[in-house]
Amino acid sequence: MAPDNVIRIPKRISSNQELIKEALDLGCMKAKVVLTETISMAHWVKLHCQFGCSKYSKLLTCPPFTPDCDEMAEIIQEYKKALLINTAPNTNVQEIVVRLENSFKKKGFSKAFALGAKPCDLCDPCTVSTFCQYPEKARPTLQACGIDVVATVDKNGWADLVLNKPCSESHTIGMVLLG
């Protein structure tokens, strides 16, 4: 055991390839480390939530309970990079991004934060009037926070994935923000 006066340096992942490998090992079809400046924010995304999704205001991981576009844009500025993932259609994207977030935190990325693809389905019904029953597992979707998923994947070279409909059962894009 180390003496109290010894500062422990967290075990950090030494390369982007290690981040990508971890995602691929969890079942992702694609994974890519991207600069946060390539994440597209758009106010119109909330309109699609508010006037196109039956989950609007019914889940704590959906608007209006999530950071809005302006707040998320400020939050993203506190990060330098993110891990963008793509999974198979029947894969639980939420579970994978949360597992990656937890793993990355243990490896020294203390600010790691996961964003998923589909509305949360941990509780039925959601406990909107009280606190979340599963805060360690529940994460907002990318689009709930004003992220234009189509533009983001396109900017990052995944133009073949722009046909993914955000928040749908077939949506396969997730992200973990890193320090």
Side-chain angles (χ1 to χ4, degrees):
M1 189 160 144
D4 292 338
N5 63 346
V6 173
I7 298 172
R8 292 177 186 246
I9 298 172
K11 179 186 173 197
R12 294 194 65 94
I13 294 176
S14 61
S15 74
N16 290 343
Q17 290 306 316
E18 289 180 55
L19 296 166
I20 292 166
K21 181 180 181 324
E22 189 164 346
L24 296 175
D25 288 347
L26 287 174
C28 293
M29 295 171 58
K30 291 183 178 184
K32 183 175 191 174
V33 175
V34 301
L35 296 174
T36 55
E37 61 200 38
T38 66
I39 297 172
S40 294
M41 303 300 299
H43 291 279
W44 65 262
V45 176
K46 181 184 173 218
L47 292 174
H48 284 230
C49 293
Q50 189 173 1
F51 299 103
C53 181
S54 63
K55 305 293 184 186
Y56 183 83
S57 79
K58 294 180 181 155
L59 300 176
L60 289 170
T61 57
C62 290
F65 306 109
T66 55
D68 64 23
C69 183
D70 292 332
E71 184 180 4
M72 194 66 192
E74 287 180 28
I75 291 167
I76 286 174
Q77 288 180 7
E78 297 176 15
Y79 292 86
K80 289 183 173 56
K81 61 185 177 180
L83 180 69
L84 190 63
I85 66 163
N86 173 47
T87 67
N90 294 324
T91 304
N92 189 333
V93 180
Q94 306 302 105
E95 186 177 310
I96 290 175
V97 292
V98 169
R99 285 180 67 184
L100 289 168
E101 173 192 305
N102 290 330
S103 174
F104 297 160
K105 282 180 179 177
K106 289 176 186 171
K107 293 175 181 171
F109 290 95
S110 60
K111 296 188 316 187
F113 188 76
L115 296 161
K118 303 172 194 171
C120 184
D121 62 0
L122 294 171
C123 301
D124 188 23
C126 180
T127 56
V128 171
S129 61
T130 61
F131 295 105
C132 179
Q133 294 180 43
Y134 299 100
E136 72 284 354
K137 295 179 183 179
R139 294 296 180 274
T141 64
L142 295 157
Q143 43 287 350
C145 297
I147 295 173
D148 180 343
V149 177
V150 172
T152 299
V153 298
D154 188 41
K155 272 186 185 180
N156 285 289
W158 288 357
D160 58 319
L161 301 178
V162 297
L163 297 177
N164 265 300
K165 183 176 184 289
C167 280
S168 69
E169 286 304 313
S170 64
H171 190 52
T172 60
I173 305 297
M175 181 184 294
V176 181
L177 297 170
L178 301 164

